[in-house]
Amino acid sequence: MRHPGVRCWRARAGFSEPLVVPRCQGYPPGRTDAEGPTIGGHLVPLTELLAAIPEPSQWITPGERAAQIRQREKEFALRYRE
């Protein structure tokens, strides 16, 4: 799938059913799960994708996306050195 130009877009990395794991940190003591953030999603046709992305969203160019991927690859390599 072509990258839609959204800054925090996550590629599927070849998986047809990727696993999404949210990280939530810094909850105040005594917070209950019912008070926490919620996560949701829904499937939209590719032709309607850009209209379905909420504002405010940050947009990037293909060149910025390529730089973002290069930086992620460098950081990934630091975590899994031999």
Side-chain angles (χ1 to χ4, degrees):
M1 178 180 164
R2 181 181 65 83
H3 184 273
V6 179
R7 182 167 207 71
C8 292
W9 187 261
R10 296 295 179 241
R12 297 180 325 172
F15 294 99
S16 61
E17 296 182 17
L19 175 64
V20 177
V21 180
R23 292 185 297 171
C24 302
Q25 300 170 339
Y27 286 128
R31 182 197 65 81
T32 67
D33 288 338
E35 298 169 319
T38 59
I39 298 170
H42 60 277
L43 186 64
V44 296
L46 187 56
T47 57
E48 298 174 19
L49 178 62
L50 294 183
I53 296 172
E55 292 294 337
S57 292
Q58 294 180 346
W59 303 91
I60 60 175
T61 66
E64 291 170 321
R65 175 64 176 169
Q68 184 185 56
I69 290 171
R70 284 192 303 273
Q71 183 64 34
R72 287 181 182 167
E73 288 171 344
K74 286 181 191 176
E75 293 167 356
F76 183 84
L78 288 173
R79 284 180 255 160
Y80 297 97
R81 292 185 284 188
E82 297 205 21

